[in-house]
Amino acid sequence: MKRLFIISFFLLLSAITLSAQENKYDIKIFPNPATNVINVLGLKNDTNAAISIRNSYGTQVIFHQWDIKRNALNIPVFNLEKGLYMITIQSELQNVKAKFYKQ
């Protein structure tokens, strides 16, 4: 069952990546794998963007409301355990999903 869930999660990540490409988002997340912070570039400036990070089981581990300035975000991830994560950034101007690995 656990293996099936992990396979399903990776298939979902692939579909989300394709969806982001279809919407012409050119989002870059680095460093990947991350250690202390992730930088997200290519966003649209906006106020009150909802940033959610979920682990590979779909559990939300970080949630913040942030202003996006200079088309970028710097998000601290030092407290996350090693593993694969999905970041979702939602605002009036955008709905972006991407994955990153925490080392």
Side-chain angles (χ1 to χ4, degrees):
M1 182 71 175
K2 188 175 183 181
R3 179 177 276 177
L4 178 62
F5 176 78
I6 292 172
I7 291 170
S8 298
F9 183 74
F10 283 110
L11 290 173
L12 175 65
L13 288 178
S14 297
I16 290 170
T17 301
L18 291 174
S19 174
Q21 290 173 353
E22 290 170 5
N23 291 326
K24 305 289 191 246
Y25 291 118
D26 190 18
I27 304 302
K28 293 182 178 26
I29 296 180
F30 66 94
N32 197 2
T35 52
N36 295 320
V37 67
I38 58 170
N39 302 294
V40 184
L41 301 180
L43 299 170
K44 296 178 183 176
N45 292 336
D46 203 349
T47 58
N48 272 338
I51 289 82
S52 172
I53 297 179
R54 296 181 180 272
N55 63 18
S56 59
Y57 297 105
T59 305
Q60 183 171 284
V61 293
I62 295 177
F63 181 82
H64 287 289
Q65 294 283 112
W66 277 325
D67 292 346
I68 300 173
K69 299 177 182 175
R70 298 185 191 108
N71 302 99
L73 285 173
N74 298 45
I75 303 170
V77 295
F78 61 89
N79 58 340
L80 296 179
E81 294 184 23
K82 292 181 181 181
L84 184 64
Y85 291 89
M86 172 68 72
I87 182 169
T88 304
I89 302 166
Q90 293 180 315
S91 69
E92 289 183 23
L93 301 176
Q94 60 206 334
N95 185 7
V96 175
K97 295 182 182 183
K99 61 184 175 179
F100 69 94
Y101 186 80
K102 168 65 166 61
Q103 194 170 37

